Amino acid sequence: MEFIGYRRSDGQVGVRNYVLILPGCACASETCRLAAAQVQGARNVVLNVGCSDVKANTEMNLRVLTGFALNPNVFGVVVVGLGCETVGHRELAAMIRRQTHKKVVSFGIQEEGGTVATTALVVKAAREMAAEASLAQRTPCPLSDLFVAIECGGSDATSGIAANPAVGNMSDRLVDAGASTVMSETVEFIGAEHILARRGATPEIHDQIIRICEEYEKHLAGVGQDCRTGQPTTGNKAGGLSTIEEKSLGCIYKGGTRPVVEVLREAQRPTKKGALIMDTPGYDIASVTSMVAGGATLVVFTTGRGTPTGHALAPVIKVTGNRETAHRMADNMDIDVSGILEGDLTIEQAGSRILEEVVKVAGGKTTKAESFGFSDIAVDHICRFI
C-alpha cells in the first residue's frame, strides 16, 4: 500500500501542507487567529502558556512550539510574540531555524505597534508562504513514511473490547510495513503497566515503562493528589468502566502487540522507527498535542462515549465500537467498528478497514473533525504558574 503525501527536503513526509502562524505566548494567540483567518492554507494554534512560568514549564512549552513548527505537515512558519513573554519571538524563531530548513519569519506585537499593524505584517508574510506552499505536489510514498499517533478519549466498555483492539491491529500492520506509531497516556497504563512492559524491545525499555508509571504517581503524591480521583473519568464510569485498572487493560490494546522500541518524553521527537510510547497525561487533548509536537502527522482516536476533538495541524480519525455513539454522533465519528461486538466483523477486518481509512486521509481525505475546523490544543504543565 502507498499513500500520496508531501515529501519535504529533509526526507520526512507530511499528509497536509499548512503555513503555521505560531504564537509564542498566550497573549499573541488572538492576533494569530485573526491573521490565519485571512490566509487560505494557514493554521494557528491557541496557547494558554508562555509567561509567568517556572523553567520546566517554559521548556515544555518550547518543545511543543518548536515541535509544531518541525512537524512535516507544516510548510513554513510565522512566529508572533507579544514582547514581554519569557522567550521572545526572535529567540523562538531562531530555535526553529536551527532545526529545519523551512522558511521562518517572526514579528512582535509591542514593537510593531499593536494588533492591527502586526496582523497586516503576518498576513503578508503568510500569504507569500502559502503561495510557495501551493506549488508543492503530492507524490506516492510507502507506508513506512507514516507516523501515526494513537489516542483514546471518552472511553466506555466497548473501547477495550472493540475499538482499541482494532486500532491495535492497524498499528501492528503499520509497524510491520516499516512505519511508526506512538501511544501515550501514561496514567492510563497504571494497573496494566506490567503487561505493557513485556512489549519492551529491551530490558531497559521494559523498566522505563514501569518507571514512568511510578514517577507519575509519585509526582501527584508530592502535592497530595491521587490519579484515581480523576481516572476513570465520570464519563468512563457511566460507560461501564469501574476502576483505573479496568480502563488501563483496555487502553493498552490500542498500541498493538509489536515490540516497543523507544519511550519518549512529552513532545520529544523519536530517534527510532516502530512502536513507540510517549510519557503524557491521560487528558486526551494534551496527549494529542504532545504526539503531534513529537512529529506525528495523523491521529487515530478511539472513543466509546464520543468526542468531537480535532487538531490544528494533524487530521484526527475517530473510531468507535459503540453502535449508539456511531448513530448519535454521526457528524463526529469517522469509522464504526461496533460489528466486532455484534459478531459481524473480526478485529482483523476492522484493523484493515481502519488502515484503509488512514491511507485515504493521509492522501487528502477530510476527517469529520477537519470539516468543522476543530483545533484543540493543551500544553501540559509541570506545576503552577508563578
Side-chain angles (χ1 to χ4, degrees):
M1 296 178 70
E2 291 181 326
F3 71 100
I4 311 298
Y6 296 98
R7 188 167 294 282
R8 306 303 185 188
S9 60
D10 60 2
Q12 295 187 90
V13 176
V15 304
R16 296 295 184 266
N17 192 39
Y18 298 135
V19 171
L20 172 60
I21 302 181
L22 183 69
C25 61
C27 299
S29 286
E30 288 301 299
T31 299
C32 290
R33 179 182 62 80
L34 291 174
Q38 300 178 54
V39 183
Q40 185 174 1
R43 293 291 186 273
N44 68 292
V45 297
V46 176
L47 294 177
N48 67 322
V49 291
C51 192
S52 300
D53 258 341
V54 295
K55 181 180 179 182
N57 286 342
T58 297
E59 290 173 350
M60 175 75 74
N61 187 40
L62 291 176
R63 279 209 308 277
V64 169
L65 294 178
T66 56
F68 283 168
L70 298 175
N71 191 287
N73 289 348
V74 172
F75 176 85
V77 187
V78 181
V79 178
V80 183
L82 176 61
C84 52
E85 63 271 30
T86 305
V87 177
H89 68 91
R90 290 186 182 85
E91 292 82 1
L92 178 56
M95 289 179 193
I96 297 168
R97 289 192 194 99
R98 285 195 291 270
Q99 301 176 70
T100 184
H101 297 299
K102 298 176 185 179
K103 183 172 288 188
V104 183
V105 298
S106 70
F107 302 96
I109 297 169
Q110 290 174 350
E111 61 193 76
E112 301 298 347
T115 294
V116 173
T118 307
T119 299
L121 291 168
V122 172
V123 167
K124 183 176 185 296
R127 283 178 176 164
E128 291 173 357
M129 281 189 198
E132 292 182 46
S134 69
L135 298 175
Q137 298 293 312
R138 288 184 179 270
T139 59
C141 302
L143 285 186
S144 56
D145 285 326
L146 282 175
F147 183 11
V148 177
I150 298 169
E151 182 70 19
C152 61
S155 300
D156 68 4
T158 70
S159 297
I161 301 171
N164 287 356
V167 169
N169 181 270
M170 175 220 68
S171 176
D172 286 348
R173 292 168 187 259
L174 282 172
V175 171
D176 290 347
S180 292
T181 65
V182 58
M183 176 176 70
S184 57
E185 303 176 288
T186 303
V187 73
E188 295 180 18
F189 304 159
I190 294 173
E193 66 267 44
H194 60 295
I195 299 172
L196 179 60
R198 293 175 193 154
R199 289 179 51 205
T202 66
E204 292 75 20
I205 293 173
H206 171 283
D207 293 347
Q208 273 184 289
I209 294 170
I210 299 294
R211 192 179 309 120
I212 60 175
C213 294
E214 291 176 344
E215 290 174 350
Y216 211 112
E217 294 213 78
K218 287 179 182 177
H219 177 79
L220 293 172
V223 287
Q225 303 300 312
D226 185 339
C227 65
R228 288 161 182 79
T229 60
Q231 291 286 354
T233 67
T234 301
N236 295 153
K237 293 173 183 176
L241 299 176
S242 61
T243 64
I244 192 171
E245 290 81 7
E246 189 174 33
K247 182 176 182 179
S248 296
L249 286 166
C251 174
I252 63 173
Y253 264 122
K254 69 181 184 287
T257 63
R258 300 302 183 256
V260 175
V261 297
E262 191 169 17
V263 177
L264 305 164
R265 294 184 302 162
E266 283 187 79
Q268 180 185 355
R269 302 177 78 193
T271 62
K272 299 178 180 179
K273 296 191 72 172
L276 311 167
I277 284 176
M278 185 176 285
D279 180 14
T280 75
Y283 179 39
D284 44 24
I285 296 175
S287 179
V288 169
T289 294
S290 290
M291 291 189 289
V292 173
T297 53
L298 188 149
V299 183
V300 177
F301 192 123
T302 70
T303 179
R305 304 280 293 173
T307 176
T309 190
H311 193 279
L313 302 180
V316 179
I317 300 171
K318 299 291 174 35
V319 181
T320 187
N322 187 317
R323 180 75 74 188
E324 287 188 12
T325 299
H327 290 162
R328 188 177 62 251
M329 297 186 67
D331 57 346
N332 300 112
M333 300 298 108
D334 295 284
I335 301 178
D336 175 11
V337 295
S338 60
I340 294 172
L341 295 174
E342 297 165 4
D344 301 326
L345 189 68
T346 67
I347 288 172
E348 291 74 19
Q349 288 170 334
S352 178
R353 183 185 297 178
I354 296 167
L355 180 56
E356 289 174 4
E357 186 71 7
V358 165
V359 171
K360 291 176 184 176
V361 170
K365 180 182 177 181
T366 301
T367 67
K368 299 288 183 67
E370 283 184 297
S371 69
F372 286 113
F374 290 155
S375 58
D376 304 303
I377 301 293
V379 179
D380 190 22
H381 234 55
I382 304 300
C383 59
R384 298 179 69 182
F385 290 108
I386 56 172

